[in-house]
Amino acid sequence: MKKKVLSGLLALALVVTSGASMIPAYTAEAEELGTTYYVSSIDGDDSNDGLSEDKAFATLDKINEITLQPGDEVLLEKGSVFEDQALHIKGSGSEKRRGTYYRVYLWRGGQTAD
């Protein structure tokens, strides 16, 4: 009985490893990692560096001063109000499948939503 169980387990292991070796390798294009900037009209301060939730910028003007690079992200805190301000993104972006891209998200305590 032990021999049958052991033989069955070895056969199963052989089938699984053989099948796994026939799966084509997946190679993903490496996504360019950029800088994430945080903006909060609630808790931000324009003297901050804008690189973390705790050191968020207060106005969109600080983002407008930066030339964004491919893959950079701008996170706007949920509930922030930017009266008489507009986002004017500078930079060349990156040619990805459908043209130039940057990411601008709403952030809410560690989570993001498009």
Side-chain angles (χ1 to χ4, degrees), residues 94-101:
S94 166
E95 290 300 318
K96 280 242 334 165
R97 296 180 190 144
R98 292 193 178 136
T100 303
Y101 77 98

Side-chain angles (χ1 to χ4, degrees), residues 1 23 54 57 59 65 67 70 76 80 83 86-87 94 107:
M1 181 71 175
I23 297 173
D54 295 335
F57 293 136
T59 66
E65 293 173 8
T67 300
L76 308 176
S80 287
E83 291 185 28
L87 191 57
S94 166
W107 118 70

Side-chain angles (χ1 to χ4, degrees), residues 27-89:
T27 55
E29 179 182 323
E31 185 173 335
E32 299 173 31
L33 298 177
T35 303
T36 299
Y37 297 97
Y38 295 83
V39 187
S40 170
S41 67
I42 301 164
D43 296 318
D45 186 331
D46 280 346
S47 64
N48 290 338
D49 62 13
L51 298 177
S52 68
E53 291 182 32
D54 295 335
K55 295 184 178 182
F57 293 136
T59 66
L60 298 178
D61 295 335
K62 292 302 287 186
I63 296 297
N64 294 337
E65 293 173 8
I66 299 170
T67 300
L68 297 176
Q69 300 301 313
D72 284 356
E73 298 178 327
V74 177
L75 277 64
L76 308 176
E77 184 177 22
K78 182 181 177 184
S80 287
V81 177
F82 303 102
E83 291 185 28
D84 299 321
Q85 297 178 54
L87 191 57
H88 302 284
I89 295 177

